[in-house]
Amino acid sequence: MTTPLRVAVIGAGPAGIYASDLLIRNEEREVFVDLFEQMPAPFGLIRYGVAPDHPRIKGIVKSLHNVLDKPRLRLLGNIEIGKDITVEELRDYYDAVVFSTGAVADRDLNIPGIEAEGSFGAGEFVGFYDGNPRFERSWDLSAQSVAVIGVGNVGLDVARILAKTGDELKVTEISDNVYDSLKENKATEVHVFGRRGPAQVKFTPQELKELDHSPTINVVVDPEDIDYDGASEEARRASKSQDLVCQILEQYAIREPKDAPHTLQIHLFENPVEVLQKDGKVVGLRTERTALDGNGGVNGTGEFKDWPVQAVYRAVGYKSDPIDGVPFDENKHVIPNDGGHVLTAPGAEPVPGLYATGWIKRGPIGLIGNTKSDAKETTDILIKDAVAGVLEAPKHQGEEAIIELLDSRNIPFTTWEGWYKLDAAERALGEAEGRERKKIVDWEEMVRQAREAPAIV
């Protein structure tokens, strides 16, 4: 009789949950999965990276929830790999380890002045308004004019939250500290900057269209920013989604202005080249006008403009952090891999028993569908290795062995049953105010609710 495989999956966001699901459902080997998570709660960027006014996207949690309800899958939260338990130790308890730790840190933007006071990474702000306990609890929103650099959905989320009122967002799951900051928001102008044209922006149509749903936001696009070359027209023909984005931008450009207290203007063909500062504080953003080069790219025109803003948010992408004991490509900010196996270095030999999936494997690109197919590629490779007999059996057997280790170190880990308790506590807080949920943002309180679940008074 073949001994069941025991696999540790590191990171309980969509990538880790999809990989876990595929492992326990495979038909070639029986697999038991322990899903490790650094946070006290699961779901990763679905919980801490999706804007609170987008419950449609948060519906994905329901499908992830169904996976975590399955037998042969165990959640172990509030555990930091590399600190509470090392990767080498994990290899003593599991046949294989899959890394799916995602990407949370902001990518750098190397332009002068980016370090000035009032210049932020978009991910920092997302972490704040989504109640991530690792981020700030209050936010200075005294700037009346704000710049957002980047034309992807994260930039759009940041711009929309900055352009809405605190009361508009009070009906969502935001915590009291987030509301207290947002209700003091002084921004009346939000400028979103992209260096290329409408056929190259990375918005999704639904996100772009939903900007106009708020009665407090007047969305503006300059008609001069609607321009296409041959490659741009081909990009529209090749993608229905991109064509819809172009159509929506065109509609914003030709319509009459909406009577609203906040203006959100999308500027295309404006390449940010410097954050202007005075006494170390942001006082403006300088951009260079660009023009299409005929191939879908752009060249600078030498025409510069200064925009008087008091805060700048860079939404130029996320990057992954390295994990102690695991090879890491410092240039690409990913774990070196061949599609599934962790490699000692790019193009080098695999590290036996270690695998990667999700953004830590391929970088922060793609949607949920890409995450599913990515997880399948990795788990297929892992199962193939198991069937071929190349995985080394762990020193410690049995599902309780790792629990005994955690208990011996007095690590207050959380479980899936604990999530049900924390979930109930957050729903009770929300129900008291006529909302579906109100997030608990204090780390220790999250752990306490998950482990003890005292009655809420």
Side-chain angles (χ1 to χ4, degrees):
M1 182 176 178
T2 304
T3 304
L5 290 179
R6 298 200 61 81
V7 178
V9 177
I10 315 302
I17 295 174
Y18 290 139
S20 300
D21 187 36
L22 289 166
L23 286 169
I24 63 176
R25 288 196 295 113
N26 96 89
E27 297 179 351
E28 296 189 70
R29 286 290 301 270
E30 185 179 20
V31 180
F32 289 82
V33 172
D34 280 341
L35 180 57
F36 288 83
E37 170 57 44
Q38 183 181 23
M39 304 287 287
F43 306 127
L45 281 179
I46 297 298
R47 178 174 167 93
Y48 291 119
V50 176
D53 58 347
H54 272 173
R56 175 180 55 84
I57 299 177
K58 286 182 178 290
I60 296 169
V61 168
K62 293 181 180 178
S63 65
L64 300 179
H65 199 284
N66 292 336
V67 175
L68 286 162
D69 272 334
K70 293 181 178 181
R72 292 194 281 135
L73 173 55
R74 179 171 59 180
L75 176 68
L76 298 172
N78 196 41
I79 298 171
E80 184 175 350
I81 303 302
K83 177 183 176 183
D84 295 321
I85 182 170
T86 68
V87 172
E88 277 303 310
E89 287 174 325
L90 284 176
R91 296 174 74 176
D92 287 339
Y93 288 82
Y94 297 93
D95 296 272
V97 180
V98 180
F99 298 97
S100 57
T101 48
V104 177
D106 286 289
R107 279 188 175 274
D108 298 327
L109 179 62
N110 295 318
I111 61 174
I114 197 67
E115 76 291 341
E117 182 181 343
S119 174
F120 309 101
E124 298 175 61
F125 187 52
V126 172
F128 158 71
Y129 67 61
D130 267 335
N132 189 322
R134 291 183 292 184
F135 289 83
E136 295 293 333
R137 299 291 177 80
S138 62
W139 202 272
D140 180 4
L141 294 171
S142 59
Q144 293 182 319
S145 190
V146 180
V148 178
I149 300 173
V151 283
N153 283 342
V154 173
L156 217 54
D157 281 348
V158 167
R160 189 184 64 257
I161 296 296
L162 288 168
K164 279 190 171 183
T165 66
D167 286 338
E168 279 183 276
L169 295 163
K170 182 68 181 290
V171 299
T172 70
E173 63 185 29
I174 61 171
S175 56
D176 290 338
N177 64 293
V178 175
Y179 173 70
D180 289 342
S181 290
L182 291 176
K183 73 179 181 180
E184 300 299 325
N185 183 16
K186 298 297 189 294
T188 56
E189 294 182 355
V190 180
H191 301 271
V192 180
F193 294 93
R195 66 185 183 86
R196 296 195 290 171
Q200 288 81 36
V201 299
K202 300 301 182 182
F203 308 136
T204 52
Q206 189 69 22
E207 297 271 344
L208 184 59
K209 195 171 184 178
E210 285 179 354
L211 278 184
D212 206 38
H213 291 180
S214 170
T216 70
I217 302 176
N218 175 37
V219 184
V220 176
V221 175
D222 190 328
E224 292 190 4
D225 288 353
I226 304 298
D227 192 21
Y228 308 95
D229 58 10
S232 300
E233 295 287 2
E234 180 57 34
R236 292 186 67 170
R237 288 191 292 269
S239 169
K240 182 178 179 180
S241 176
Q242 196 66 45
D243 185 56
L244 284 171
V245 166
C246 292
Q247 291 180 42
I248 296 167
L249 290 169
E250 291 163 3
Q251 290 164 9
Y252 284 144
I254 64 174
R255 73 174 187 175
E256 291 294 321
K258 186 164 101 177
D259 184 17
H262 306 126
T263 297
L264 193 163
Q265 183 161 1
I266 299 172
H267 303 273
L268 304 176
F269 299 110
E270 296 288 352
N271 182 33
V273 295
E274 182 178 359
V275 175
L276 306 177
Q277 55 181 310
K278 182 179 181 180
D279 298 327
K281 297 181 179 180
V282 172
V283 295
L285 179 69
R286 178 168 295 163
T287 64
E288 181 182 12
R289 187 71 177 173
T290 62
L292 289 163
D293 63 5
N295 298 310
V298 292
N299 293 318
T301 65
E303 177 186 344
F304 296 89
K305 183 172 181 177
D306 292 349
W307 307 83
V309 298
Q310 299 84 50
V312 173
Y313 293 78
R314 70 181 189 278
V316 295
Y318 292 119
K319 64 181 180 180
S320 298
D321 292 321
I323 304 163
D324 288 346
V326 183
F328 192 72
D329 186 333
E330 294 287 354
N331 293 319
K332 295 182 178 179
H333 300 288
V334 297
I335 292 174
N337 66 88
D338 61 3
H341 300 104
V342 171
L343 305 180
T344 54
E349 293 298 312
V351 181
L354 300 189
Y355 303 82
T357 189
W359 283 2
I360 191 71
K361 165 184 167 180
R362 57 185 165 84
I365 54 175
L367 302 174
I368 291 294
N370 303 102
T371 302
K372 288 183 176 180
S373 59
D374 191 57
K376 186 176 189 315
E377 179 185 41
T378 295
T379 55
D380 282 351
I381 291 172
L382 190 159
I383 295 300
K384 182 179 179 181
D385 287 349
V387 171
V390 300
L391 296 180
E392 184 177 341
K395 296 178 181 177
H396 305 287
Q397 300 286 342
E399 63 178 341
E400 292 305 311
I402 192 68
I403 302 299
E404 292 170 2
L405 176 66
L406 296 172
D407 284 341
S408 72
R409 295 178 178 177
N410 296 314
I411 297 170
F413 63 90
T414 58
T415 64
W416 183 233
E417 293 75 15
W419 161 252
Y420 271 98
K421 298 174 184 179
L422 176 58
D423 180 53
E426 292 187 340
R427 290 182 182 277
L429 289 171
E431 185 179 2
E433 299 179 8
R435 299 193 267 163
E436 180 181 349
R437 170 194 305 276
K438 184 164 74 171
K439 276 185 181 173
I440 295 172
V441 299
D442 181 78
W443 192 298
E444 287 73 20
E445 180 63 12
M446 290 174 68
V447 173
R448 189 175 74 86
Q449 291 287 353
R451 288 176 64 86
E452 301 177 21
I456 297 176
V457 179

